[in-house]
Amino acid sequence: WDRLRLGCFISDGFFGAAVTNDNRAMSSHKVLFGFHAVGVRLKIAPQSVVEIHYEVTRRDARMRQFIDKARDSGMRLIESDSERLAKLAGGHGHQGVVAMVAPIPQNHSLDDLLDTVEGPPLLLVLDGVTDPHNLGACLRVADGAGAHAVIAPKDHAAGINATVAKVASGAAETMPYFMVTNLTRTLGELKERDIWIVGTSDDAPRTIYQADLKVPTALVLGAEGAGMRQLTRKNCDELVSIPMRGAVESLNVSVASGVCLYEALRQRT
């Protein structure tokens, strides 16, 4: 299984270097913003949070509760204005909260993770999903449905960044996300573990509701429009479709992921 020992590129929710003009020492730290993303980091790894900048003019209940929790955790809090926060976050979607965080060391591989799974594994494989909003939403739904990991190819996928973490609402901190060098080889190695590879395609003869998802399963979805690459499609054990009854021909990949993952959850419960 040495070939399956792949680096894990998730779950620390840290993003592009946050070098500020007034603090070059922060260059080794990353930026995390938004109530959910920062809140989850405070919950799972408070020791990694270096400091939290917050919008001093925002005094609503949500901000007060957040600040109280941060103070109780012994965090360093810095008062800032909205423009300062926007510069740190790279935009205005910060919700008034920006944290400087240290990376969380990741010592496990996909192989290690699968060794610890109790019961049949449930994996989400994303082929060609490059939009960070879609990736963030997929991580969120994967976490909600109880998937064990999300897998994507390094060369045809979005990585974890600030936008992904904001959309994921904390799931970028908790859902293992593995970016692999060769997706075809990885699918083959999953098959060696008796994991059934189920791809989604509009022209598949059977629907997701006819598939047996109680067995160890990896659900493979492609980007909206382009779908899976042909080589990925050929390496699926089974192809299924999502029934479409209206005028639109396809669903957004994150919505499709939710349909498939929650059908697996329904069958397993």
Side-chain angles (χ1 to χ4, degrees):
W1 290 102
D2 288 343
R3 289 181 302 161
L4 194 57
R5 296 192 176 279
L6 309 165
C8 178
F9 289 81
I10 79 139
S11 190
D12 54 7
F14 58 90
F15 324 110
V19 182
T20 64
N21 292 331
D22 56 346
N23 195 349
R24 294 290 174 178
M26 298 301 293
S27 61
S28 62
H29 300 134
K30 312 297 178 181
V31 173
L32 194 64
F33 63 82
F35 284 109
H36 285 296
V38 178
V40 170
R41 177 59 75 93
L42 281 173
K43 182 177 180 179
I44 68 170
Q47 72 283 356
S48 71
V49 181
V50 178
E51 62 187 28
I52 298 174
H53 298 251
Y54 69 97
E55 189 170 347
V56 67
T57 58
R58 180 169 175 173
R59 299 185 177 90
D60 56 274
R62 190 178 189 186
M63 178 63 81
R64 291 198 304 271
Q65 292 172 0
F66 177 85
I67 294 301
D68 287 344
K69 289 181 180 179
R71 284 201 177 104
D72 290 344
S73 299
M75 293 296 110
R76 181 189 180 197
L77 294 168
I78 299 175
E79 297 180 353
S80 297
D81 58 31
S82 182
E83 290 304 315
R84 168 66 172 161
L85 294 175
K87 288 181 180 179
L88 289 173
H92 290 274
H94 48 72
Q95 297 181 307
V97 175
V98 178
M100 310 300 290
V101 301
I104 301 175
Q106 296 299 317
N107 299 318
H108 63 276
S109 66
L110 177 56
D111 190 35
D112 294 333
L113 182 146
L114 290 172
D115 284 341
T116 65
V117 171
E118 296 182 3
L122 178 60
L123 307 172
L124 176 63
V125 180
L126 302 175
D127 186 27
V129 177
T130 58
D131 181 82
H133 292 87
N134 281 335
L135 174 57
C138 287
L139 292 173
R140 185 173 184 176
V141 75
D143 181 86
H148 297 100
V150 177
I151 302 169
K154 286 183 180 179
D155 296 335
H156 300 276
I160 299 293
N161 61 23
T163 300
V164 171
K166 177 66 166 52
V167 176
S169 297
E173 300 285 308
T174 58
M175 175 51 53
Y177 180 56
F178 295 92
M179 301 187 77
V180 302
T181 302
N182 189 317
L183 183 59
T184 298
R185 184 173 62 196
T186 298
L187 293 178
E189 291 166 343
L190 292 177
K191 291 181 183 184
E192 292 179 19
R193 278 185 172 262
D194 294 324
I195 295 176
W196 191 247
I197 312 298
V198 180
T200 55
S201 175
D202 294 341
D203 59 3
R206 284 158 45 90
T207 72
I208 186 69
Y209 306 114
Q210 295 172 300
D212 181 5
L213 305 178
K214 297 186 292 295
V215 301
T217 303
L219 293 162
V220 186
L221 288 88
E224 185 178 3
M228 292 182 293
R229 291 172 293 172
Q230 283 300 314
L231 188 56
T232 303
R233 181 186 176 105
K234 290 179 181 178
N235 280 274
C236 293
D237 294 311
E238 179 181 7
L239 294 176
V240 298
S241 63
I242 297 175
M244 302 297 295
R245 297 290 183 260
V248 298
E249 296 180 354
S250 63
L251 297 174
N252 174 275
V253 65
S254 63
V255 176
S257 296
V259 171
C260 296
L261 287 168
Y262 274 90
E263 172 57 16
L265 178 61
R266 184 195 69 80
Q267 291 187 20
R268 293 173 181 217
T269 56

